[in-house]
């Protein structure tokens, strides 16, 4: 993998911040977009833009075709059985909210939904609200101190009352790659369907929904080099077919009279209103870019960055790395004794290094560790070992100033 | 000294620094030296919720003047709080309400005032102004 060539595809990286070359280590929040993605969006608006579906004219048919091709490509990318199992949404959060909304008739008083202690608020609050509304119970699989989940414990939690297991594929704070295939298997043995929050998983793991056997998989485009505002809810056909619609109007409609409306078939049933066509095309372009670069190459490179950064930071006096799972991906969260993450992040920014500080939308996890937040460096395919050196030196310099 | 004069003094102090490191090193020093808020005020009641660093602010009126104390768990935030306090504390509510506080911009710390920085500073200024208004109304009633 030729990093220098890849970096040329991401012109945004070639800039100065506060007079220093930008080191972009905030990829878990959002990734930068390669030219191929920007170009695809631009091409769409320059040559193909029209409203999709039902149009009889040429441009509408072109737009419909490229939009549906994007859906097919996404389906292939995550190895869905059929492209109608791919629902385009605004992102992971909307995907999960959609699911929580349409599952609500299935959740009765006394039922349980199980999540884990390392969930992002987006895979916690929708379920908490649903439970509140349905008088169901939200149960939380605890995280071990090293940042992993105890599957034996999970097995015990999967009682007949459990109607859904909603769990993250990769933790956005700890970097833990959960053993999702095993988790799905465990849940299915007890007849419990599973939603995986793939916000991080899509970019840092191979996702094969059939191999995982998962019922639902939610992800955002922008975490995998695609534009913001496009995401996916994958749902197994047998599930999506049975579930009610989410929003009403537009393409999701079949027949309307003032007395009654019948709804369109999948996937349109879940795509009310004019969809984000350019976003879907950008997502396809991004996935193609990733595929061309090679998932294995990317993961190997990110792993090298993670290990190197971990080694480097371990030499900093008072360092505490949060998350020690054996299977860990592209995310390095840490704290330094006596130093507030905000202070460190502010000084790193002065040195051109972009990291994220705070609770990373996982407040219960922060409470579990008894910390106000962490500093999080997260890597993408275009980051380099030299950037890790700059980052580690910047951390040391900041620590010296703050002590 | 008036608030405006104090602002000028801070600007003069900061003009001595040639680079960001010295500026931040100075802020960190100020943060470390800030006389701490009385522990009894470090409660949720006095907490200004910024997104990332917590800031406690206490104000009291003595002989017509407002005296401020603050603390934060982030030292840079504390340093900026210290600057604010050094400029505003010991003045009447009316004087504080009229303060322009453009020194933060002039010393190159305006970015910290942006609400998106989420360090609680803009809420802190707002809170000081609220205190000043409340004290002003109260003293008029008396």
């Amino acid at each position: 993998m030729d990093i220098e060539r890849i970096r040329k595809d991401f012109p945004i990286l070639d800039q100065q911040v506060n007079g220093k070359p930008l080191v972009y280590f905030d990829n878990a929040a959002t990734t930068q977009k390669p030219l191929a993605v920007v170009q695809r969006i631009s091409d769409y608006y320059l040559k193909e833009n029209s409203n999709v579906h039902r149009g009889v004219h040429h441009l509408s048919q072109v737009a419909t075709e490229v939009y549906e091709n994007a859906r097919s490509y996404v389906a292939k990318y995550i190895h869905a059985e059929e492209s109608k199992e791919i629902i385009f949404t605004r992102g992971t959060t909307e995907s999960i909210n959609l699911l929580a909304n349409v599952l609500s008739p299935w959740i009765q008083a006394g039922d349980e939904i199980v999540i884990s202690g390392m969930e992002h608020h987006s895979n916690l609050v929708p379920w908490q609200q649903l439970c509140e509304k349905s008088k169901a119970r939200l149960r939380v699989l605890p995280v071990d101190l090293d940042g992993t989940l105890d599957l034996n414990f999970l097995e015990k939690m999967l009682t007949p009352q459990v109607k859904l297991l909603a769990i993250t594929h990769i933790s956005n704070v700890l970097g833990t790659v959960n053993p999702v295939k095993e988790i799905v298997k465990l849940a299915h043995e007890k007849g419990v369907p599973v939603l995986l929050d793939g916000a991080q998983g899509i970019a840092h793991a191979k996702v094969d929904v059939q191999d995982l056997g998962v019922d639902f998989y939610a992800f955002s485009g922008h975490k995998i080099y695609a534009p913001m505002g496009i995401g996916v809810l994958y749902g197994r056909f047998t599930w999506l077919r049975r579930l009610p619609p989410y929003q009403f109007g537009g393409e999701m409609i079949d027949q309307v009279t003032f007395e009654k409306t019948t709804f369109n078939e999948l996937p349109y049933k879940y795509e009310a209103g004019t969809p984000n066509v350019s976003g879907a095309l950008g997502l396809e372009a991004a996935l193609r870019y990733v595929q061309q670069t090679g998932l294995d190459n990317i993961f190997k490179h990110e792993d090298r960055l993670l290990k190197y950064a971990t080694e480097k930071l371990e030499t900093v006096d008072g360092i505490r790395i949060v998350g020690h799972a054996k299977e860990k991906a592209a995310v390095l969260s840490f704290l330094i004794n006596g130093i507030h993450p905000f202070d460190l992040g502010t000084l790193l920014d002065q040195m051109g290094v972009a990291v994220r500080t705070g609770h990373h939308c996982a407040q219960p996890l922060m409470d579990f560790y008894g910390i106000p937040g962490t500093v999080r460096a997260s890597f993408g395919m275009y980051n380099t070992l030299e950037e890790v050196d700059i980052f580690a030196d910047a951390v040391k310099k900041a620590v010296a100033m703050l002590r | 000294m008036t608030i405006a004069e104090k602002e000028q003094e801070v600007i003069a102090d900061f003009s001595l620094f040639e680079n960001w490191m010295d500026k931040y090193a100075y802020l960190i020093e100020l943060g470390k030296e800030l006389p701490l808020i009385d522990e009894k005020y470090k409660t949720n009641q006095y907490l200004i919720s910024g997104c990332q660093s917590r800031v406690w602010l206490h104000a009291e009126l003595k002989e017509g003047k407002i005296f401020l104390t603050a603390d934060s768990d982030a030292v840079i935030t504390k340093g900026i709080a210290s600057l604010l306090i050094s400029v505003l504390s010991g003045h009447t509510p009316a004087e504080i309400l009229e303060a322009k506080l453009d020194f933060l911009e002039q010393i190159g710390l305006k970015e910290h005032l942006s609400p998106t920085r989420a360090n609680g500073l803009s809420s802190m200024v707002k809170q000081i102004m609220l205190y000043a208004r409340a004290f002003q109304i109260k003293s008029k009633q008396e």
Side-chain angles (χ1 to χ4, degrees):
Chain A
M1 201 165 92
D2 183 351
I3 307 291
E4 277 321 301
R5 229 192 61 209
I6 288 175
R7 288 182 74 85
K8 287 206 175 76
D9 290 333
F10 293 85
I12 197 171
L13 298 172
D14 183 23
Q15 66 172 291
Q16 306 251 310
V17 168
N18 293 316
K20 308 276 174 13
L22 166 67
V23 173
Y24 187 78
F25 279 179
D26 195 18
N27 294 286
T30 200
T31 52
Q32 301 303 344
K33 321 305 173 198
L35 285 169
V37 168
V38 179
Q39 194 61 49
R40 185 65 195 94
I41 298 167
S42 153
D43 277 353
Y44 171 71
Y45 282 117
L46 293 174
K47 297 171 195 160
E48 300 159 336
N49 175 56
S50 184
N51 211 335
V52 290
H53 303 300
R54 298 181 198 224
V56 64
H57 62 81
H58 172 74
L59 271 187
S60 175
Q61 285 177 7
V62 169
T64 305
E65 197 178 320
V66 291
Y67 179 61
E68 290 308 324
N69 285 347
R71 192 192 309 277
S72 305
Y73 193 83
V74 173
K76 254 192 291 180
Y77 189 90
I78 64 168
H79 198 217
E81 211 168 322
E82 301 176 79
S83 60
K84 59 184 162 201
E85 296 175 318
I86 304 298
I87 312 293
F88 283 124
T89 65
R90 281 191 296 141
T92 312
T93 301
E94 189 179 49
S95 296
I96 297 174
N97 274 279
L98 187 164
L99 187 63
N101 190 293
V102 301
L103 276 179
S104 74
W106 267 255
I107 309 293
Q108 308 293 330
D111 285 349
E112 293 179 356
I113 292 174
V114 175
I115 62 169
S116 88
M118 62 170 83
E119 297 311 313
H120 187 283
H121 294 163
S122 291
N123 195 30
L124 186 171
V125 182
W127 305 119
Q128 185 186 55
Q129 295 302 307
L130 174 57
C131 286
E132 215 167 273
K133 211 169 72 185
S134 315
K135 299 195 167 56
R137 231 176 107 206
L138 186 70
R139 299 193 58 206
V140 184
L141 171 65
V143 182
D144 286 340
L145 269 177
D146 65 352
T148 57
L149 300 171
D150 181 348
L151 296 200
N152 290 326
F153 200 89
L154 174 63
E155 200 173 355
K156 290 191 192 96
M157 287 178 79
L158 295 171
T159 60
Q161 286 77 45
V162 177
K163 289 287 156 9
L164 179 77
L165 172 62
I167 211 156
T168 191
H169 188 171
I170 296 180
S171 160
N172 71 313
V173 178
L174 308 165
T176 310
V177 183
N178 286 319
V180 283
K181 194 172 170 178
E182 243 179 295
I183 289 174
V184 172
K185 193 165 160 260
L186 258 178
H188 283 179
E189 276 166 12
K190 311 271 180 144
V192 176
V194 182
L195 157 74
L196 291 179
D197 170 354
Q200 302 298 329
I202 190 67
H204 305 294
K206 257 190 194 142
V207 178
D208 179 331
V209 289
Q210 290 187 69
D211 181 53
L212 290 173
V214 71
D215 303 273
F216 305 99
Y217 195 94
F219 67 90
S220 303
H222 74 97
K223 309 266 195 199
I224 183 161
Y225 313 101
M228 290 181 172
I230 187 78
V232 166
L233 174 65
Y234 158 82
R236 273 230 304 270
F237 178 70
T238 44
W239 266 110
L240 292 181
R241 194 188 49 183
R242 282 187 285 161
L243 295 171
Y246 170 48
Q247 288 173 339
F248 301 91
E251 189 54 35
M252 61 82 59
I253 298 301
D254 175 31
Q255 298 269 329
V256 183
T257 64
F258 284 117
E259 289 70 39
K260 188 175 164 57
T261 296
T262 56
F263 303 115
N264 202 342
E265 56 193 30
L266 284 169
Y268 313 111
K269 182 169 95 175
Y270 288 113
E271 292 180 7
T274 296
N276 180 359
V277 178
S278 69
L281 302 183
L283 175 58
E284 178 189 348
L287 295 178
R288 283 184 188 277
Y289 186 88
V290 168
Q291 199 118 55
Q292 274 161 19
T293 311
L295 273 75
D296 287 329
N297 296 334
I298 295 171
F299 300 158
K300 225 165 76 192
H301 176 63
E302 287 173 348
D303 196 50
R304 198 180 310 138
L305 292 169
L306 177 65
K307 293 218 165 88
Y308 185 55
T310 307
E311 260 170 47
K312 281 251 157 181
L313 281 195
E314 273 169 348
T315 65
V316 176
D317 186 35
I319 187 100
R320 173 180 172 194
I321 289 170
V322 183
H324 286 96
K326 237 172 81 198
E327 297 294 324
K328 200 173 158 180
V331 168
L332 182 56
S333 262
F334 62 97
L335 275 169
I336 292 166
N337 199 10
I339 292 176
H340 195 280
F342 170 79
D343 288 326
L344 192 53
T346 303
L347 295 184
L348 289 181
D349 174 54
Q350 289 295 323
M351 293 182 261
V353 179
V355 293
R356 193 144 292 250
T357 64
H359 55 59
H360 315 297
C361 293
Q363 287 175 5
L365 186 62
M366 298 297 124
D367 293 344
F368 167 71
Y369 283 109
I371 53 183
T374 71
V375 180
R376 181 186 72 185
S378 52
F379 311 109
M381 64 162 97
Y382 37 62
N383 291 128
T384 65
L385 295 171
E386 293 73 41
E387 286 182 307
V388 173
D389 286 331
I390 296 172
F391 159 70
D393 289 345
V395 169
K396 285 174 190 163
K397 204 163 161 186
V399 168
M401 284 178 73
L402 290 162
R403 279 243 167 89
Chain B
M1 248 196 287
T2 65
I3 288 177
E5 282 164 355
K6 285 184 184 170
E7 287 191 48
Q8 282 311 314
E9 212 174 64
V10 174
I11 293 167
D13 284 348
F14 270 80
S15 68
L16 300 173
F17 303 127
E18 281 172 6
N19 57 42
W20 71 269
M21 268 192 76
D22 293 344
K23 196 155 76 181
Y24 275 87
Y26 179 62
L27 271 180
I28 292 164
E29 277 321 301
L30 286 178
K32 286 178 179 164
E33 286 166 9
L34 177 72
L36 289 183
I37 195 169
D38 194 319
E39 276 299 318
K40 70 179 176 206
Y41 298 127
K42 265 178 92 166
T43 60
N44 281 343
Q45 194 191 337
Y46 296 96
L47 189 64
I48 297 172
S49 52
C51 196
Q52 295 198 6
S53 58
R54 293 183 298 172
V55 182
W56 295 268
L57 176 74
H58 178 253
E60 60 185 325
L61 194 67
K62 268 190 255 169
E63 294 162 8
K65 289 173 179 164
I66 295 179
F67 290 89
L68 300 159
T69 50
D71 195 4
S72 169
D73 47 12
V75 72
I76 293 173
T77 307
K78 231 165 115 174
I80 301 170
S82 163
L83 282 179
L84 264 183
I85 288 177
S86 71
V87 167
L88 294 175
S89 195
H91 288 274
T92 66
E95 287 165 348
I96 290 175
L97 287 170
E98 276 164 26
K100 291 201 181 64
L101 298 180
D102 37 18
F103 74 102
L104 288 166
E105 187 173 346
Q106 294 199 38
I107 61 177
L109 288 175
K110 198 195 171 198
E111 71 213 41
H112 286 280
L113 266 177
S114 147
T116 58
R117 279 274 158 164
N119 60 3
L121 192 76
S122 59
S123 333
M124 184 160 161
V125 171
K126 223 181 273 168
Q127 191 62 39
I128 293 175
M129 294 303 165
L130 278 175
Y131 272 127
R133 189 151 302 137
F135 282 132
Q136 193 178 40
I137 292 166
K138 210 171 132 196
S139 54
K140 270 181 192 157
Q141 283 168 345
E142 274 163 10

